[in-house]
Structures are given as structure tokens and as C-alpha cells.
Amino acid sequence: MARTSSQRNPLTPFYIVLAVVALGGVIFLLTQLRGGGVAANAPVPVDIDPAELSRVQGISLGRADAPVVMYQFADFQCPHCAEWVTFIEPLLRERLVNTGVVRYVYYDFPLGGSFRHSFLAARAGRCANEQGRFWEYHDLVFARQQTWSPMDDPADFFVDLGGQAGVPDGDAFESCVRSDKYVREVTLSRQLGDQLGVGGTPTLFVNGKRIPQVPSNFSELEAIVRQEAGTAGGAPAAGDSATADSAPARS
């Protein structure tokens, strides 16, 4: 028998309360995932062997005594790394490295596979670092990524970028790029990343803690760094080859 409009299900109030509770739970969950910021992307402690760090040389930017040490594992051919360098890294250098809060250490993590030039690009970066122009070269390689990535052989292009980056000795740079001089260093850097569980690029570690997801904006990154700076008693030792005491101007 059908109910009339005046008859009400006695369980209706219960269902309404249940729906409200469920909706509140969903809103809370979304708030934690989207608006949680640091809490939703809290750094995870990682066991980093100091002996491995001393064996594998990264390339450093910033004060040696900075309270926060940030490791970045990146691939020059990775589009997500290029986005990081374009939109977040300039603010990181200006507001956190230049001000002495962060020492920023770059590690090569050439992915290979479809990124078939990433190993050569990493070696070329090391050649530029040899002449004190790594960061200038790093910026140009990422900025021109879409130009050299589809090339059959970008070696000539990488050599030309050296001149644009201000590498003092062009002949020595070209000889280095066309050699296998830094094969070992790049390989060791990649192996270190493997040992630390790096599966894609870019991957970040802050004071020995891995950032589960690369921040999508500078504000989120800064919040993580400021939190670490407030709790750090000092910067952990790292095996990096500092090229400057202060900064110049995931696939």
C-alpha cells in the first residue's frame, strides 16, 4: 500500500544525520589532502649513509652552514624538472638560498629510456661545473629542453650552450663533452638516487627527509623549509662539491 504525503518514514531523521556526517567526513578528508599544505606533504625521514654522500659528489649552491640542506635529484630531459626550474627554483634561489636559509645540492638522476640524451646532458653539466659555470649551464639546458630533446645527437648543441653560459675555455669544454670523463660521477649519482628510493624526477630531500610529492608552488615549498629551519640544530654533513658560497643572481 502506497504511503500518503502525510506519512513519514520514522528513519528519515536518522538518514539525514547520517548523510550530514558522511558529507562532513568527505569535506574533512578533502581539506587534509588539498589544503593541508605541509601536513599533507610531511617530509619522511630517510636513512642517508654519510659515507655514500662523501663518495657521490653533488653540485652545491648556497652557504655551507645553512640550517636547511636540500637535495634535488633531477634529469635534464625531464619536462617536470624543467617546470620546476622555470616556476619554483628561481624563487627558491632568491628567497631561501640567497638569504642563507638553504644550501641547495643538485644530483644527477638520468632516467634513460625515452629520455635518451639525459646521460649526455648530465655529463655536459659536469663539464660546465668544472669551469665554474654549472648553474648558468643548468638554466640554459632546461630552458632549451624542447629544442635539443628531439635531436638525434645534441652534442654540438650542448657545446654551443657552453659558450652562451660563459664557460671560459670553450675548447676544453668541448673536449670534455665529447669524452666520457664524467661517466663515473653521473653513474654514482644515479646509483645514490636508486639507494634512496628515487623513482622519478624531480625528487627532493630536505635535511635528510624525503618530500613525498614535489610542491606545486613556492609557498608550499617555503612552508616546508621554514618548518625545518625552525627545528634544525644545524645542517647535516653532505658530500657535495660547493661551487659558490652564495647563489648567483616527476616523470
Side-chain angles (χ1 to χ4, degrees):
M1 179 178 177
R3 291 189 179 92
T4 66
S5 59
S6 61
Q7 292 177 305
R8 297 181 59 189
N9 188 330
L11 293 179
T12 297
F14 170 78
Y15 289 136
I16 293 175
V17 172
L18 184 61
V20 171
V21 172
L23 179 61
V26 171
I27 293 174
F28 175 80
L29 179 60
L30 290 176
T31 300
Q32 293 300 305
L33 291 177
R34 295 180 182 176
V38 177
N41 196 22
V44 179
V46 174
D47 184 14
I48 301 179
D49 185 352
E52 283 299 309
L53 287 177
S54 65
R55 189 171 69 95
V56 182
Q57 297 298 306
I59 300 172
S60 176
L61 193 64
R63 289 175 48 177
D65 62 347
V68 175
V69 180
M70 180 183 298
Y71 305 141
Q72 183 202 26
F73 286 82
D75 181 332
F76 278 113
Q77 201 167 358
C78 160
H80 295 302
C81 296
E83 291 173 1
W84 165 272
V85 169
T86 300
F87 297 110
I88 298 181
E89 190 175 280
L91 292 173
L92 166 63
R93 293 196 206 179
E94 176 188 350
R95 301 182 186 180
L96 297 176
V97 176
N98 282 3
T99 57
V101 177
V102 169
R103 179 157 56 97
Y104 188 44
V105 188
Y106 182 94
Y107 284 97
D108 296 299
F109 195 81
L111 294 167
S114 61
F115 295 161
R116 57 197 178 105
H117 303 316
S118 57
F119 200 89
L120 175 61
R123 285 168 31 217
R126 297 274 171 164
C127 292
N129 183 60
E130 183 181 272
Q131 298 194 39
R133 285 292 187 272
F134 172 78
W135 293 100
E136 294 84 353
Y137 192 77
H138 157 282
D139 293 349
L140 284 171
V141 173
F142 276 119
R144 309 287 176 79
Q145 186 187 85
Q146 293 186 2
T147 300
W148 60 263
S149 286
M151 292 180 176
D152 290 332
D153 182 1
D156 289 341
F157 190 81
F158 288 156
V159 170
D160 290 341
L161 286 184
Q164 296 177 41
V167 171
D169 190 335
D171 291 338
F173 178 73
E174 179 174 2
S175 177
C176 181
V177 171
R178 298 188 188 283
S179 74
D180 59 357
K181 183 173 183 178
Y182 286 104
V183 168
R184 180 177 182 275
E185 286 79 3
V186 173
T187 300
L188 287 174
S189 184
R190 165 67 200 238
Q191 290 176 351
L192 174 64
D194 287 334
Q195 292 171 9
L196 295 178
V198 175
T201 55
T203 293
L204 302 176
F205 295 83
V206 176
N207 278 0
K209 301 173 184 177
R210 179 174 178 170
I211 308 302
Q213 295 182 348
V214 175
S216 60
N217 57 69
F218 175 73
S219 294
E220 183 181 346
L221 175 68
E222 184 178 34
I224 293 171
V225 169
R226 296 294 181 188
Q227 180 172 314
E228 282 297 317
T231 60
D240 57 85
S241 54
T243 58
D245 291 331
S246 59
R250 206 159 169 117
S251 291

